[in-house]
Amino acid sequence: MSSSDPLSSFDSADRAILKHLQDDAQIKLDTLAAETGLSVATVQRRIARLRKTGVIKGAVSLLDPAQLGYPMTFIVAVEMERERPEQLDAFARTACAEPQVQQCHYVTGEGDFVLICLAQNMDDFEALTRRLFLAEPNVRRFRTSVVLITRKRTLYVPVHG
């Protein structure tokens, strides 16, 4: 790996720990130790370091939105009227505070933001659009794609090496 590669500071044991934690955030320390050839205490220290440095941002359980009353997913491209930093930051804060927004990305291209949103039904999504877009004077327009079938839903990050 090149020295500009962020993973160059991680050895194979760190990468193995990261891979295993992505597969199962509840994996037992003794299992991780056996898989990596390290002691349980060493695995604990390495995980603590990976958390402290921000490599590990948290641990979550992947839930099925449909089974929790949110069977609809929408991809929304949002174009802002003005792109002053404080206005962009204000919209991002509003979007990120909305529980039905799973992801909020500031992007290049035709739009300024792309949001991944959940809704219970079309009426619920319409109410979300009123809160997020129609009530926001700096939103010029938004374009929505309705997800018909989700083939993959993950936050997995490739860990090479």
Side-chain angles (χ1 to χ4, degrees):
M1 287 185 196
S2 72
S3 60
S4 65
D5 185 345
L7 279 181
S8 64
S9 64
F10 304 130
D11 63 16
S12 61
D14 287 329
R15 290 188 294 273
I17 289 169
L18 292 170
K19 287 178 187 178
H20 285 292
L21 288 174
Q22 280 194 104
D23 290 337
D24 180 4
Q26 294 181 328
I27 190 170
K28 297 194 181 308
L29 289 174
D30 57 345
T31 303
L32 266 177
E35 292 289 333
T36 59
L38 302 172
S39 70
V40 170
T42 300
V43 169
Q44 282 179 308
R45 282 192 300 276
R46 286 178 180 240
I47 291 172
R49 178 179 49 83
L50 292 166
R51 284 190 175 119
K52 184 177 179 182
T53 59
V55 174
I56 297 175
K57 296 288 190 187
V60 299
S61 295
L62 295 177
L63 306 179
D64 181 347
Q67 291 193 41
L68 295 167
Y70 292 92
M72 301 187 79
T73 301
F74 301 84
I75 301 167
V76 185
V78 183
E79 185 180 336
M80 307 305 286
E81 192 69 46
R82 292 164 302 286
E83 295 185 46
R84 293 199 339 251
E86 62 275 5
Q87 292 169 314
L88 295 174
D89 292 346
F91 177 78
R93 280 192 303 275
T94 299
C96 291
E98 172 59 55
Q100 287 176 249
V101 174
Q102 286 192 307
Q103 296 179 39
C104 174
H105 303 277
Y106 180 51
V107 298
T108 62
E110 289 186 35
D112 297 300
F113 290 91
V114 172
L115 308 179
I116 308 298
C117 305
L118 299 176
Q120 297 171 343
N121 52 45
M122 289 305 291
D123 289 338
D124 187 39
F125 181 69
E126 193 267 340
L128 178 67
T129 65
R130 287 180 180 273
R131 287 193 307 273
L132 284 181
F133 314 125
L134 301 177
E136 171 55 59
N138 196 36
V139 171
R140 177 180 294 156
R141 71 177 58 99
F142 63 98
R143 293 178 186 85
T144 303
S145 296
V146 179
V147 174
L148 299 176
I149 298 172
T150 298
R151 301 285 185 195
K152 181 177 182 179
R153 182 186 308 255
T154 182
L155 293 176
Y156 191 86
V157 177
V159 182
H160 300 289

